[in-house]
């Protein structure tokens, strides 16, 4: 067998990604027709290994998919008890009264969860219905049919040497083909990006916007732990440097999720999201909670933030985009799991109807319609101006005008400002280094704040070193000849895992890629001002191994 010869397995539906969207699609397909053959592929070593989210889950979609989930041993057991919102200064904070928030911002009735554990439970449910799930199988290539449709994917390629040649134990992978292929890779998925460009799915839509979400799980003093407590903050330490905010969620077992989100539309190339996060934990609000505690996990991922205006056409010949691959996060609510589950159900229903009617390889237009006219569309249209207002008017203006816009939408169904738009990609928003002062960050103290390398160890990331670097440069010269003199090479700072470095080599700067550290957040693919870095999946099973993110 040569490297180009691959075995093939045929299914009714192939699903790429074992997150809430992909697993919900698999479950719904089997609910509709137990005889359908359905396979789910995931690049993580196990289901949930690459899942990271806050997370507060609104159970509205789960109530439809699995109405008896409370009786099914679901890891959804910590209801929100208190919900507060603060604007921070360096030494103090101001709490915004809850009555200022539109009704749909209320978290009561929602649950604090580990989304990774929720996905593990969904996977068990899907397997109980007969779904085949293959973790450790990175889908690395699209397979096209004779009519230009997506016919399947290549998955399970292993054993290439660092130079790209087949190694001694090379396995070429397998083609998994289906009547329909559902892409549920999460934000900035590599296959989804190829599909959107190939079929022009984003033509006429606003550019997608992103944030980077950084998260630690802490085990805190039981006297300070209050299960069900939810806190969101804005303001310090970001101030006017960037949009974003933080969250503190009290789980069970004395565990607290501490998260920090930075909108990637920031201009100052000296800004370092990771260090902003570490500095945030020294605020009195946080220090009082975490002192004497123990950090037990760390990770990061990109978050799609474009909202309604940035959703691409979600169907293409032979398949559909689901969940964060389509950008379905409700930014002001900081929630996307409910929309991901809805999208999985809608796509499954459209695929089932098509297969029942003898179709395959065409566009599932019923899915696009259901997504835009159903609960997902209603959810996202109401808040479509919050992100553009924040970017245009900053923190204070964004809070006031965004609040007015959401209140108007909640009362009348139509936002006050109509539909505002995103005009730049996050990469294009990056300013030149000469126009901004460097930012001096305090050194980590090793108790509340930590250096990047130390923290990456708590993501349990592993990549086999003898494989091709999965972080590709379109032009190897650009980091030194363009990004360094013009932008002070921001990859050194926007990467939350220390993957990119400028090192001295024979008295000259050299761009070094430590791909072994990569936590698969994909920020580099998004924020590189020259759009010179292309994130591709490494061999299956590599990357972070999040235990309960």
């Amino acid at each position: 067998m040569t490297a180009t010869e691959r075995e093939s397995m045929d299914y009714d539906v192939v699903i790429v990604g074992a997150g809430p969207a992909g697993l919900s699609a698999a479950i719904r397909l089997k609910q509709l027709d137990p005889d359908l053959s359905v396979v789910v592929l995931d690049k993580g070593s196990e289901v949930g290994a690459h899942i990271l989210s806050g997370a507060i889950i609104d159970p509205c979609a789960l109530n439809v998919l699995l109405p008896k989930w409370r009786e099914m041993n679901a890891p959804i057991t910590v209801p929100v008890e208190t919900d507060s919102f603060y604007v921070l200064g360096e030494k103090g904070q101001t709490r915004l009264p809850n009555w200022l928030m539109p009704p749909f911002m209320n978290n009561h009735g929602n649950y604090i969860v580990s989304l990774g554990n929720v996905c593990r439970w969904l996977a068990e449910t899907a397997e109980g219905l007969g779904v085949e799930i293959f973790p450790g199988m990175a889908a690395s290539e699209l397979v096209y049919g004779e009519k230009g449709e997506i016919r399947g994917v290549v998955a399970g390629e292993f054993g290439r040497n660092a130079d790209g040649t087949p190694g001694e134990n090379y396995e070429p992978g397998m083609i998994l083909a289906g009547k329909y292929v559902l892409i549920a890779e999460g934000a900035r998925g590599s296959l989804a990006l190829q599909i959107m460009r190939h079929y022009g799915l984003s033509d006429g839509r606003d550019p997608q916007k992103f944030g980077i979400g950084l998260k630690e799980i802490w085990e805190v003093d039981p006297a300070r732990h209050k299960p069900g407590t939810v806190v969101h903050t804005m303001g310090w330490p970001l101030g006017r440097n960037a949009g974003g905010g933080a969250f503190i969620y009290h789980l069970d077992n004395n565990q607290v999720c501490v998260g920090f989100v930075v909108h990637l539309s920031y201009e100052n190339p000296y800004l370092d999201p990771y260090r902003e996060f570490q500095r945030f934990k020294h605020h009195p609000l946080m220090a009082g909670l975490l002192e004497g505690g123990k950090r037990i996990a760390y990770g990061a991922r990109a978050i799609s933030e474009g909202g309604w205006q940035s959703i691409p056409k979600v169907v293409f010949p032979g398949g559909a985009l689901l969940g964060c691959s389509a950008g379905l996060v409700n930014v002001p609510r900081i929630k996307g799991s409910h929309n991901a589950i809805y999208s999985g159900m809608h796509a499954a229903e459209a695929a089932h109807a098509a297969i029942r009617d003898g179709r395959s390889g065409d566009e599932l237009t019923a899915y696009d319609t259901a997504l835009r006219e159903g609960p997902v569309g209603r959810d996202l249209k109401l808040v479509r101006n919050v992100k553009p207002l924040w970017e245009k008017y900053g923190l204070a203006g964004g809070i006031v005008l965004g609040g007015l816009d959401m209140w108007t939408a909640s009362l009348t169904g139509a936002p006050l400002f109509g539909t505002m738009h995103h005009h730049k990609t996050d990469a294009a928003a990056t300013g030149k280094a000469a126009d901004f002062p460097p930012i001096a960050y305090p050194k980590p103290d090793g108790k509340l704040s930590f250096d990047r390398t130390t923290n990456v160890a708590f993501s349990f990331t592993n990549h086999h070193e003898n494989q091709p670097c999965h972080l590709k440069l379109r032009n190897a010269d650009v980091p030194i000849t363009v990004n360094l003199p013009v932008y002070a090479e921001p990859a050194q700072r926007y990467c939350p895992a220390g993957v990119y470095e400028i090192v001295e080599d024979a008295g000259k700067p050299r761009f070094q890629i430590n791909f072994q550290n990569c936590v698969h957040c994909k920020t580099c693919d998004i924020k590189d001002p020259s759009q010179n870095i292309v994130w591709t999946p490494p061999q299956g099973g590599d990357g972070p191994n999040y235990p309960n993110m």
Side-chain angles (χ1 to χ4, degrees), residues 381-538:
K381 279 191 277 189
L382 287 176
V383 300
R384 62 184 180 264
N385 291 328
V386 172
K387 172 80 170 178
L389 284 166
W390 195 333
E391 293 193 346
K392 186 172 183 178
Y393 295 105
L395 175 62
I399 289 177
V400 174
L401 297 176
L404 285 172
D405 193 73
M406 286 191 290
W407 264 111
T408 303
S410 67
L411 294 172
T412 69
L416 179 64
F417 296 104
T419 299
M420 301 180 68
H421 292 281
H422 309 296
H423 301 291
K424 288 183 179 180
T425 65
D426 294 324
T430 310
K432 296 181 178 180
D435 297 331
F436 296 89
I439 300 174
Y441 289 101
K443 291 183 178 180
D445 67 355
K447 297 177 181 178
L448 295 180
S449 52
F450 311 96
D451 66 81
R452 227 175 296 243
T453 304
T454 299
N455 234 4
V456 169
F458 285 80
S459 69
F460 310 103
T461 295
N462 181 61
H463 293 86
H464 290 279
E465 295 188 16
N466 190 31
Q467 65 174 301
C469 175
H470 64 281
L471 303 161
K472 313 294 186 184
L473 299 181
R474 290 189 168 96
N475 184 328
D477 296 330
V478 163
I480 300 301
T481 61
V482 178
N483 283 0
L484 185 58
V486 178
Y487 304 103
E489 187 43 274
Q492 304 172 87
R493 293 174 290 277
Y494 61 59
C495 174
V499 170
Y500 303 102
E501 291 183 282
I502 299 293
V503 298
E504 289 293 322
D505 190 351
K508 295 181 179 180
R510 177 172 60 83
F511 190 62
Q512 180 166 298
I513 301 177
N514 307 307
F515 77 87
Q516 298 89 346
N517 289 1
C518 180
V519 294
H520 297 200
C521 73
K522 303 173 187 171
T523 303
C524 54
D525 195 296
I526 298 162
K527 187 59 177 171
D528 177 44
S530 299
Q531 286 295 272
N532 189 52
I533 301 174
V534 180
W535 192 96
T536 62

Side-chain angles (χ1 to χ4, degrees), residues 205-222:
R205 316 294 165 95
D206 286 5
Q208 186 58 266
K209 307 293 285 185
F210 295 91
I212 178 172
L214 305 107
K215 178 182 175 182
E216 294 173 356
I217 299 178
W218 281 69
E219 190 175 287
V220 300
D221 183 341

